[in-house]
Every structure is written in C-alpha cells, then in structure tokens.
C-alpha cells in the first residue's frame, strides 16, 4: 500500500510538471507570435526549469534508495563530467549557436540545428536532470 501511494504521488507530480512545461512553452510561443521573434535564451531557461525537474523526478527513487543508506554523501564526478555537462551544453546549444556564432561552423550548424531542435532540447534537459540526481550516492 505504501509503495502504491508513493507511485501515485510520483505520477501526480510528474503530470503537474508536464502541465507546467506545456503551459510555460505555450505562453512563450504565444508571446513569440505577437513579437515575431524567438528568444532562445528564454526558451532554454523555460525548458530547463520545466523539463529538468521531470528528469530529476525520474531519478528521485534512486536518490531515495541512496538516502536510506548509512554513510556519507559522495558525488560521482566522472558521471557529472561525462554525462551531465554534455547534456547541459546540448540543451543550451541554440544559445551558443546564435549568441556566440558557433553555428557558422558548417558541421556544428548542420548537426545540432535540426527540425526537432525543441524536442531535442526537452529531451536533453530531462536527461540532464536524471543524470544530475543519480550522481549522488552514499558509501
């Protein structure tokens, strides 16, 4: 019974986070239609605060299992560097491309900027949140 209540709360929080992400993105796109300019900085920030917690929540059960263990907290630094940092940079790639001119490089511009860049930003933010929370463990 206790596990099913926890999973039900998990599902409710996940749906609320998803609805928050949809609402924030809808507000951003409706504002974009009136301003006729897509602000990538705001878009990345909106996706980071709305989709990052979804990944965070997906890895939360692993974090709870580690929390129940005895011992001191440690950080898996290779996991942070090899997994978290690239997903954070990939989710911020439109900012890097349009603000710092990285997109002028033909290989980077053609690989990173695809038709589904907003979906990939969302996926990268979810993976960033998941790998961030699962990087903490107890010995």
């Amino acid at each position: 019974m206790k596990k099913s209540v926890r999973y039900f709360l998990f599902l409710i929080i996940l749906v609320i986070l998803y609805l928050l992400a949809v609402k924030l993105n809808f507000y951003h796109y409706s504002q974009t239609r009136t301003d006729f300019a897509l602000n990538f900085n705001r878009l990345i920030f909106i996706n980071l605060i709305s989709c990052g917690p979804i990944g965070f929540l997906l890895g939360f059960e692993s974090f709870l299992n580690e929390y129940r263990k005895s011992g001191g907290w440690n950080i898996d630094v290779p996991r942070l560097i090899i997994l978290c940092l690239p997903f954070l940079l990939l989710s911020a790639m439109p900012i890097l491309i349009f603000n710092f001119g990285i997109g002028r490089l033909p290989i980077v511009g053609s690989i990173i900027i695809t038709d589904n860049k907003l979906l990939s930003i969302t996926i990268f933010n979810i993976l960033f949140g998941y790998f961030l929370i699962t990087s903490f463990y107890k010995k």
Side-chain angles (χ1 to χ4, degrees), residues 4 7 17 30 42-44 48-49 51 57 59 74 76-77 80 82 98 107-108 112 117 135:
S4 59
Y7 289 144
L17 286 173
S30 64
R42 187 181 319 157
L43 178 68
I44 299 303
L48 188 61
I49 65 168
C51 296
L57 187 63
N74 292 321
D76 191 359
V77 177
L80 281 175
I82 295 172
F98 293 109
I107 295 172
V108 174
I112 300 300
K117 63 183 166 283
S135 295

Side-chain angles (χ1 to χ4, degrees), residues 62-73 137-139:
S62 170
F63 182 77
L64 282 178
N65 291 337
E66 292 294 325
Y67 180 76
R68 291 184 183 120
K69 294 179 183 177
S70 61
W73 284 100
Y137 66 96
K138 283 189 175 180
K139 264 193 174 176

Side-chain angles (χ1 to χ4, degrees), residues 45-97:
F45 181 72
I46 286 171
N47 276 318
L48 188 61
I49 65 168
S50 61
C51 296
I54 291 174
F56 201 75
L57 187 63
L58 291 174
F60 193 68
E61 189 168 0
S62 170
F63 182 77
L64 282 178
N65 291 337
E66 292 294 325
Y67 180 76
R68 291 184 183 120
K69 294 179 183 177
S70 61
W73 284 100
N74 292 321
I75 299 173
D76 191 359
V77 177
R79 185 180 183 100
L80 281 175
I81 293 172
I82 295 172
L83 292 173
C84 289
L85 187 62
F87 282 121
L88 180 63
L89 290 175
L90 284 171
S91 66
M93 190 55 69
I95 293 174
L96 298 174
I97 287 173

